Amino acid sequence: PHPQKWRPFCLRFEGVVEDFNYGTLLRLDSRREYTEENTIFATRIQFFAIEIARNREGWNDEVFSSAREPAAAEGKS
């Protein structure tokens, strides 16, 4: 994420979101695993914003479904 574009957005959450500017890992492609090629360093608030947008647009539906399938299969035993 481009720092000059993100900075004003991120600063809006100072004092609102705890540790808003702490660093975290973010997957570039949410359908793939955390790998060196698919991971960048972002602030916590950037992570939240991107994941919320991905959820709203359905990008995490596949990940959510695949995580639920093993749990559902275990419950049927």
Side-chain angles (χ1 to χ4, degrees):
H2 195 275
Q4 290 175 336
K5 292 181 180 181
W6 277 99
R7 185 168 174 75
F9 173 82
C10 294
L11 289 176
R12 291 177 32 204
F13 295 93
E14 187 172 12
V16 177
V17 175
E18 186 176 342
D19 301 330
F20 78 103
N21 63 345
Y22 277 32
T24 189
L25 297 177
L26 175 69
R27 290 173 296 151
L28 295 171
D29 182 344
S30 63
R31 297 166 297 177
R32 295 179 32 217
E33 296 293 324
Y34 283 96
T35 63
E36 187 175 340
E37 299 81 26
N38 193 43
T39 306
I40 62 170
F41 190 75
T43 64
R44 181 173 289 178
I45 200 65
Q46 287 172 309
F47 174 86
F48 288 157
I50 291 167
E51 287 301 318
I52 288 168
R54 286 176 175 172
N55 287 332
R56 288 181 178 170
E57 294 178 5
W59 289 100
N60 287 334
D61 291 351
E62 182 179 328
V63 174
F64 181 74
S65 295
S66 66
R68 288 184 54 103
E69 288 173 9
E74 289 175 14
K76 292 180 181 179
S77 304

